[in-house]
């Protein structure tokens, strides 16, 4: 597998990743479709995820929590908006309160995943797009990315001295 | 990305700055002020000369940056000099790097899951073949 590309699309506020797997499409699809597999890659190694509800159908919800090194838990959810079996998923990715209800205070992202056969393996195109949250989000998240990029070059010199 | 966001939010919430930071960086004029203020030798009045807007408007932008912890103001004589805070900008840059590494880590783990599948299938198949031989 290799990350074929990873780029930040400032116009659309999106992080876009293209992956190429040497595995057949069915196996790659199971990374999302099988909750026991999803939880093995979703959280970072130090914050492993446990998937609870897993309804990968339009209107369905995936809920999970991640457990930190101190036993601390962080809940999140995926609201599934569109699914084409073995081909694509669109979902909204957000944080939840301890009781599992969505936390509207924290930003959400819309994630799309597209899979297709490519070169004897499977190509996955993923996109994460910041959603608007009140006045802030879309422009804000974009501004953060862009601002950092612009400022980074300037700051490198300063930090080096 | 969620994890990254959560951690960043946790980190910045401690200082009550995450909203301010996002808001501050969302505007092109403010990003430009940030760039121009790296040397820390420009006053608000001097900065205001660079933009087709009122002194008050530029002052407001500087205040937003200040609240986000991205710039500090230092009095020198009758002037207030605006200085970009390298730590704040570095922290923001690190956050972006973190976003990328979160996804890279996920992809690495996807690989492990898929590799595990392939091995398990191999075993199953070997088991079946063995079973058939017997």
């Amino acid at each position: 597998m290799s990350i074929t590309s990873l780029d930040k699309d400032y116009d659309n506020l999106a992080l876009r990743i293209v992956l190429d797997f040497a595995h057949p499409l069915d196996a790659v699809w199971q990374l999302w479709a099988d909750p026991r597999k999803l939880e093995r890659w979703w959280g970072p190694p130090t914050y492993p995820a446990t998937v609870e509800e897993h309804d990968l159908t339009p209107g369905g919800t995936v809920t999970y929590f991640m457990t930190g090194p101190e036993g601390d838990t962080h809940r999140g959810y995926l609201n599934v908006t569109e699914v084409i079996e073995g081909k694509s998923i669109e979902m909204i990715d957000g944080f939840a309160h301890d009781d599992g209800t969505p936390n509207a205070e924290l930003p959400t992202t819309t994630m799309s995943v597209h899979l297709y056969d490519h070169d004897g393996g499977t190509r996955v195109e993923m996109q994460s797009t910041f959603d608007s949250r009140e006045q802030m989000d879309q422009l804000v998240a974009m501004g953060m990315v862009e601002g950092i990029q612009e400022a980074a070059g300037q700051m490198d010199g300063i930090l080096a001295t | 990305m969620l994890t990254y966001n959560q951690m960043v939010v946790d980190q910045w919430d401690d200082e009550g700055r995450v909203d301010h930071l996002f808001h501050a960086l969302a505007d092109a004029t403010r990003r430009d002020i940030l760039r121009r203020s790296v040397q820390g030798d420009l006053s608000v009045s001097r900065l205001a000369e660079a933009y087709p807007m009122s002194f008050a408007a530029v002052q407001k932008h500087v205040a937003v940056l200040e609240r986000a912890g991205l710039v500090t103001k230092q009095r020198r004589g009758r002037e207030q000099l605006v200085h970009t805070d390298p730590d704040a900008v570095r922290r923001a840059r690190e956050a972006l790097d973190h976003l990328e590494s979160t996804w890279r880590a996920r992809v690495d783990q996807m690989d492990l899951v898929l590799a595990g599948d392939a091995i398990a299938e191999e075993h199953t198949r070997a088991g079946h073949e063995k079973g058939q031989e017997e």
Side-chain angles (χ1 to χ4, degrees):
Chain A
M1 185 282 311
S2 64
I3 295 180
T4 304
S5 70
L6 185 152
D7 68 287
K8 293 131 200 163
D9 178 342
Y10 303 125
D11 294 332
N12 298 303
L13 299 176
L15 177 75
R16 203 173 287 138
I17 308 173
V18 179
L19 304 168
D20 278 302
F21 291 96
H23 303 268
L25 193 144
D26 285 351
V28 177
W29 174 254
Q30 291 303 318
L31 290 172
W32 280 269
D34 179 343
R36 301 287 80 80
K37 286 180 183 162
L38 174 62
E39 66 189 8
R40 283 163 63 197
W41 65 266
W42 183 259
T46 47
Y47 281 79
T50 304
V51 174
E52 297 179 306
E53 198 182 336
H54 185 275
D55 179 7
L56 203 64
T57 58
T61 304
V62 174
T63 60
Y64 66 92
F65 62 88
M66 295 184 298
T67 309
E70 311 293 328
D72 46 316
T73 55
H74 307 268
R75 290 190 172 271
Y77 65 89
L78 301 170
N79 277 342
V80 181
T81 47
E82 276 183 51
V83 179
I84 301 173
E85 179 78 28
K87 282 198 173 143
S88 64
I89 313 169
E90 293 216 6
M91 53 203 157
I92 293 162
D93 179 345
F95 297 102
H97 295 290
D98 287 344
D99 66 3
T101 56
N103 185 343
E105 301 282 306
L106 293 174
T108 57
T109 54
T110 296
M111 189 166 27
S112 69
V113 184
H114 291 265
L115 284 77
Y116 50 93
D117 293 315
H118 179 77
D119 219 1
T122 307
R123 175 162 283 192
V124 179
E125 290 181 357
M126 278 191 294
Q127 182 167 309
S128 263
T129 309
F130 291 99
D131 297 327
S132 17
R133 174 164 77 90
E134 297 164 7
Q135 291 188 326
M136 197 178 89
D137 283 25
Q138 292 216 337
L139 282 175
V140 158
M142 172 187 171
M144 178 179 170
V145 170
E146 200 182 1
I148 293 160
Q149 277 241 327
E150 288 175 0
Q154 299 276 341
M155 298 318 299
D156 277 338
I158 295 291
L159 295 168
T161 56
Chain B
M1 181 176 301
L2 264 181
T3 311
Y4 145 78
N5 275 337
Q6 181 72 67
M7 286 168 182
V8 167
V9 166
D10 285 350
Q11 183 188 336
W12 279 335
D13 264 358
D14 292 343
E15 301 170 39
R17 279 180 177 169
V18 67
D19 279 10
H20 290 154
L21 182 70
F22 283 150
H23 178 64
L25 288 170
D27 181 272
T29 302
R30 289 199 284 273
R31 291 195 298 273
D32 197 62
I33 291 173
L34 213 50
R35 269 199 302 274
R36 287 172 192 262
S37 304
V38 163
Q39 301 300 333
D41 55 359
L42 295 179
S43 63
V44 179
S45 330
R46 282 289 302 281
L47 280 168
E49 290 166 14
Y51 306 103
M53 57 181 82
S54 68
F55 172 80
V58 172
Q59 202 171 30
K60 216 176 253 180
H61 281 311
V62 170
V64 170
L65 290 169
E66 200 179 7
R67 206 161 57 227
L70 289 165
V71 302
T72 53
K73 279 197 292 199
Q74 282 169 341
R75 182 162 286 286
R76 197 174 66 190
R78 297 179 59 183
E79 288 182 323
Q80 293 253 46
L81 302 186
V82 181
H83 194 179
T84 299
D85 179 351
D87 278 349
V89 177
R90 181 170 54 196
R91 210 167 40 183
R93 188 182 52 185
E94 281 169 359
L96 183 66
D97 291 346
H98 200 146
L99 170 67
E100 184 178 333
S101 67
T102 292
W103 274 101
R104 288 188 186 277
R106 279 183 178 167
V107 170
D108 285 347
Q109 295 189 120
M110 286 178 182
D111 247 354
L112 292 175
V113 174
L114 288 169
D117 288 351
I119 290 165
E121 262 171 42
E122 196 64 35
H123 284 174
T124 312
R125 198 161 43 234
H128 278 309
E129 281 163 11
K130 203 177 166 214
Q132 281 161 6
E133 281 165 21
E134 282 167 5

